[in-house]
Amino acid sequence: MSANRAWFLITIAGLLEVAWAMGLKYSEGFSRPWVSAFTVATMIASMWLLAQGLKVLPAGTGYAVW
């Protein structure tokens, strides 16, 4: 994987992190099923994309951007 693709993945992972953080608020303690499912799905996707990007980029830099 190229460094450019890794940066792209880290950027998308960061945007998904914002989405799941907002989802936590709107899920109202995971009592709203569809919002809760969205939140969990974006958490998983964000972590997975971060892991893929960190295969190429230095960990400290990747976490700082994420």
Side-chain angles (χ1 to χ4, degrees):
M1 173 186 337
S2 70
N4 286 336
R5 181 178 168 142
W7 281 115
F8 177 74
L9 294 177
I10 294 287
T11 302
I12 299 301
L15 293 173
L16 288 174
E17 181 188 12
V18 171
W20 69 256
M22 291 175 57
L24 283 174
K25 176 183 177 183
Y26 292 109
S27 70
E28 297 174 5
F30 289 103
S31 64
R32 298 177 64 197
W34 290 108
V35 180
S36 299
F38 168 80
T39 301
V40 171
T42 54
M43 281 179 180
I44 292 168
S46 178
M47 297 294 178
W48 186 79
L49 289 172
L50 175 64
Q52 298 308 305
L54 290 180
K55 289 180 179 179
V56 174
L57 300 174
T61 305
Y63 280 120
V65 172
W66 180 64

